[in-house]
Structure formats: structure tokens, C-alpha cells
Amino acid sequence: MSVIDTTRPPSEPARQKWDTRPKLLIDGDHDLCPGCGEPIALRCMLEVIDEMGLSQSAIGAVGIGCYTALTSLLDTDMVQCLHGRAPSVATGIKRMRPQSLVYTMQGDGDMVNEGLQEIIHSAARGESITCLLLNNGVFGETGGHMTATTVIGQRTKNTLEGRDAAYHGHPISMTDLLTPLGGVGYVARSTVTTARDIQRTRRYFRKAFETQVAGKGLSFVEVLTMCPTGWFLPVQEGPSYLNETMSPVFRIGEFKVDGQIFTPGA
Ligand SMILES: Cc1ncc(C[n+]2csc(CCOP(=O)(O)OP(=O)(O)O)c2C)c(N)n1
Ligand code: SF4
Ligand SMILES: [Mg+2]
């Protein structure tokens, strides 16, 4: 075990937060809540775009949700879309600029409630874009009501008793909807609750972007993210609540790679 010598000054200065800031992040500070998972997922994506040397060609089509507040901090070209419409906007961008790396950024309320047909049709057409779903099972920005992905029993600020299938219906799984579609090349789901999961998220982003660069169809990455505010939970309970509530329903892993279908954990 290495022992730190505390009798003399350190030979190197302490690392500052700026030292680890991804190149494509303009500022290290943001206004999202403590414990929010969305900034972690977006950081993973930025790091991968930079590592792949694609920062000059990347264009984001961004939906509306808490993550929208982060876009002024991201140093890639970006188009702000109407609620739910990002995949259609991304379609137009990619068709006009086929050499660009075009990605969408949407929440569950934006993609699965407001704009479900946009992502489904873009996927079925096999648009060469990469779609990111930040799934926290709640309309975070507008106050914490449940969305189409809230799992049975999951509580939100406006429905503290949790989702009741008999009254509220059942959640929609985007990986289940997208995986069978012929136009889709890559489908994966991850989380950002542990360092291992964060590394997995980065790996999935890379494979999704590689799918786009290779022209192998639409690529889709869903990231389950903590929303302690919308779940009305203490910040530190966010990751365990996600792992106990959402992860058993929304399985983690790769569902489709190079057009071949897999069952994670099987
Ligand atoms: C057409 C339209 N309907 C409703 C809204 C209000 N609105 C803004 S953000 C939002 C919630 C977005 O939730 P989600 O996509 O899950 O993102 P989160 O805030 O959870 O990150 C809603 C309903 C809007 N801006 N435009
Ligand atoms: S309300 Fe939820 S999704 Fe929005 S910033 Fe706060 S923790 Fe994040
Ligand atoms: Mg949400």
C-alpha cells in the first residue's frame, strides 16, 4: 500500500476541476439539481465525440427538458427543436449534411410522450442518426408528473403513491419498440449510477457513433438517469432507487449490434 508523505509539501499541485473538464464542455458549472444523472450522461457523450475526433462535424438536435439548460455549455453545433421533434430535425440535418455526425438529445417526456411517432418513423426509415434518450421516468422540468416510461410502483412528485397499472396504464420500453425495426442498427441501454456503469455508457455511445459513421442505420442509446427532485427523494437515494425500481424493468445491455438482435443477460 502506498503511503502519502504528509511531512513535506506535495510534489505536484492538487488537480482542479478544470483539469478533468471535457474539451467540449465550455464551463464546468451547471444549474441542474444536485444528484441529477443527466449531466453525467451528457459528459460521457461529449468525451466520446472528442475522443473520436468528431467534434468539428458533430451537430445536435435537442429536445426540451432539464437537459436543455446544458446546451449553452456544450461546444458543438446545436439546433433547438420543438418538443418531441428532434429525430425529424436530425433527419433533415443529416440528409443535407451527410458527412456530419448528427445526434439527438431527448428526455422520456420529450421522446416517449410528446414525440413518439417521430422516433419510431425515423428508426423505421433507417435514418443515419444517433438518438439519445435520457430516461428518468418523469417530466423533470415541469414539476415531476409521470411519463410514459414511469415503471409500475415508481413514485414521482405529483404521484407519490407510485404508478398504478390499473389506473395509469403500463410503461413503454423504447428498446422493445425500436429493436425489431429493420432500419435500426444499434440499440443499447445503460445507467450512470456507478463508475462501471458510466464506463459502459461511454462504450455504448462510441458503438452508436461508429454505427452512424459506418452507415449501418439508426443508432439508439437510452441512459437511465437519476432525478431525485422529480422522485421527491433525498439526493443520496437517487442511484439506489433507480437500481431497485427502474433497472429491473428496463434491462441494461445491448439489444442490437450491427443489425443483430441480442437479449441482455440471456
Ligand atoms: C409542446 C410543448 N408541450 C409541453 C411543454 C412543456 N414542457 C417543457 S419541458 C417538459 C418536460 C420534459 O420532460 P423530459 O423530456 O422527460 O425531460 P426532463 O425534464 O425529465 O429532463 C414539458 C412537458 C413544451 N415546452 N412544449
Ligand atoms: S428536476 Fe430532475 S431531471 Fe431536472 S435537473 Fe432536477 S434532478 Fe435533473
Ligand atoms: Mg424525464
Side-chain angles (χ1 to χ4, degrees), residues 35-41 106 108 132-138 149-151 154 172-175 188-194 197-198 200-201 204-205 220-227 231 238-239 241-253 255:
C36 179
E38 293 183 346
I40 309 173
Q106 296 179 271
D108 45 317
L132 161 62
L133 169 59
L134 297 165
N135 184 7
N136 51 21
V138 62
T149 69
T150 310
V151 301
Q154 183 182 346
I172 293 172
S173 164
M174 286 309 297
T175 57
R189 183 187 288 118
S190 188
T191 76
V192 287
T193 54
T194 66
D197 290 317
I198 291 169
R200 190 206 321 261
T201 301
Y204 289 173
F205 277 133
F220 175 80
V221 180
E222 174 176 335
V223 185
L224 303 180
T225 54
M226 298 77 78
C227 178
W231 301 342
Y241 190 76
L242 188 154
N243 287 332
E244 287 157 17
T245 313
M246 297 176 78
S247 302
V249 180
F250 294 134
R251 281 165 299 134
I252 305 302
F255 296 78

